[in-house]
Amino acid sequence: MKPTLLALSLALTALGTLAKTALPTSSSQLAAPADDSLYQAFGQKEGIRTLMVDFNADARLQPFFKDGDTEPLVTQLTNQLCQEAGGPCVYKGATMKPIHAGMEIRREDFNALVDVLQDAMKAKGIAFAAQNCMLARRAPMHRDIVNR
């Protein structure tokens, strides 16, 4: 099993064990973090924004983000991760299912996105535990994004 998928699997298992309930079916069903430690670990909003700029620049994502003007996407992703991390941001973008409808995203595509995100987090020096926590918080989205 690839290290990325192993880390994601372990993070999901930990999240389910800690919650002692079934995993949520979407990230919007996750409770807000109890504190802002994940937000701090990611370097607050500016650190998250820098991460999203690097993430979006990766050539592996270009087939899906090829419109040219990446600023709106970076802003939306920054707000989304900031909120997920317990920061003060509010994501006001579309829900995942309708925005990804018709994009024909396969599980392999989603896994590649996770690889890109993990590479970007590692390059920024984000602690492995913080990476896993964020991946676990974002993993339920795959049900709304993968559509092929």
Side-chain angles (χ1 to χ4, degrees):
M1 183 178 286
K2 291 177 69 176
T4 300
L5 295 178
L6 178 60
L8 184 57
S9 174
L10 292 172
L12 287 171
T13 301
L15 182 63
T17 301
L18 289 174
K20 294 186 178 165
T21 60
L23 289 172
T25 58
S26 73
S27 62
S28 63
Q29 293 178 328
L30 288 172
D35 59 35
D36 72 347
S37 59
L38 187 57
Y39 176 68
Q40 298 299 327
F42 273 74
Q44 302 176 350
K45 187 172 183 176
E46 189 54 40
I48 294 169
R49 179 172 180 69
T50 301
L51 177 67
M52 290 299 92
V53 167
D54 292 352
F55 168 79
N56 192 56
D58 192 290
R60 293 173 283 183
L61 299 182
Q62 296 315 304
F64 297 102
F65 304 127
K66 56 186 168 191
D67 288 338
D69 184 10
T70 60
E71 184 54 35
L73 178 63
V74 167
T75 298
Q76 292 290 10
L77 289 172
T78 298
N79 287 332
Q80 193 179 54
L81 263 73
C82 177
Q83 180 176 314
E84 285 289 330
C89 309
V90 176
Y91 174 70
K92 296 179 182 176
T95 57
M96 296 298 102
K97 193 169 196 103
I99 203 164
H100 292 93
M103 292 180 72
E104 298 190 18
I105 299 173
R106 302 166 302 160
R107 181 173 300 282
E108 297 83 30
D109 300 321
F110 186 84
N111 290 343
L113 179 138
V114 171
D115 285 342
V116 171
L117 180 57
Q118 194 169 29
D119 289 347
M121 291 187 294
K122 183 178 179 183
K124 293 292 178 205
I126 296 170
F128 189 68
Q131 291 181 35
N132 280 343
C133 187
M134 181 60 81
L135 290 172
R137 292 194 62 78
R138 311 231 356 121
M141 282 185 189
H142 86 277
R143 292 175 186 93
D144 293 334
I145 295 173
V146 174
N147 53 33
R148 186 175 136 204

